[in-house]
Amino acid sequence: TRLMTGQNIIFGAYATGKAQELVKILNESTGETVVVSPEVEKRCGVYDYFGVKQDRAVIGSREAAEIMRDPFIYVVPFNHVNKYSEGWFAAQYKKVTLALATGWAARFQYQYKAFPLSDHADFSEILSYVEQSRAKRIVCHYAHADIMAKELRNRGYNAITDSEFKRLE
């Protein structure tokens, strides 16, 4: 683990959703406070508001500076972990290991250590959610929105794509 190697771990994760899940997982698995970027912190506040607590300190704060005296874990947006930032992180924090948290880790090879973590529902989970939510209107977004909207309409739901929704506004 990080504590055994003396390495500082810089984790890249999508700033919304995945980063908060990662912070919570790291809290529970290491028992430590995680340092987060301002972008990640902004979204963590929403989780706090809804009762999901995450033990974290935002970079630049006194608490984060204290944590960073010893080996630490730092969660940044996914795109901040790349070949350009690698040297900067090493210069700033000395012994670093860069890692990514992405559902694609199970499918693709990455330049850095990558851990499979997906916060997306699969098809049957989406259908279950739609059924349980009793939504009166559903707007499908992202990839394959047209296919999902069509399937939901075939099942009797009032579903449209986000592009159809934008035309109605």
Side-chain angles (χ1 to χ4, degrees):
T1 69
R2 174 187 62 77
L3 295 173
M4 293 167 54
T5 65
Q7 294 284 311
N8 299 310
I9 307 293
I10 315 285
F11 261 109
Y14 294 119
T16 303
K18 198 163 314 234
Q20 291 71 37
E21 286 187 47
L22 181 60
V23 169
K24 187 74 170 164
I25 290 167
L26 291 167
N27 290 158
E28 291 173 358
S29 64
T30 68
E32 295 187 35
T33 301
V34 176
V35 176
V36 298
S37 71
E39 300 95 331
V40 171
E41 172 61 22
K42 189 168 144 181
R43 279 83 170 184
C44 287
V46 174
Y47 279 65
D48 287 343
Y49 179 81
F50 287 101
V52 180
K53 300 298 180 201
Q54 301 144 77
D55 192 12
R56 68 199 187 276
V58 68
I59 191 85
S61 69
R62 285 188 178 153
E63 184 181 6
E66 181 67 31
I67 292 165
M68 294 170 79
R69 289 183 182 179
D70 295 316
F72 60 89
I73 303 169
Y74 182 21
V75 177
V76 300
F78 189 87
N79 63 330
H80 290 199
V81 174
N82 57 54
K83 64 181 179 179
Y84 304 108
S85 65
E86 185 175 2
W88 186 88
F89 282 131
Q92 291 293 308
Y93 308 122
K94 308 301 178 236
K95 297 177 182 178
V96 296
T97 297
L98 300 180
L100 298 168
T102 173
W104 295 107
R107 193 173 206 180
F108 298 109
Q109 293 282 35
Y110 287 90
Q111 179 178 352
Y112 307 104
K113 294 180 189 321
F115 300 90
L117 178 62
S118 178
D119 56 355
H120 297 274
D122 64 19
F123 183 77
S124 62
E125 290 169 326
I126 292 171
L127 291 178
S128 175
Y129 178 80
V130 167
E131 183 179 306
Q132 290 177 33
S133 72
R134 295 189 175 121
K136 306 247 185 300
R137 186 173 190 194
I138 302 157
V139 179
C140 300
H141 187 59
Y142 289 123
H144 309 296
D146 54 337
I147 295 169
M148 180 56 82
K150 182 179 178 182
E151 179 62 32
L152 290 171
R153 283 192 299 271
N154 288 341
R155 293 172 182 248
Y157 293 101
N158 180 9
I160 60 175
T161 65
D162 54 348
S163 57
E164 292 169 323
F165 180 76
K166 288 175 187 170
R167 286 194 294 263
L168 296 175
E169 293 183 308

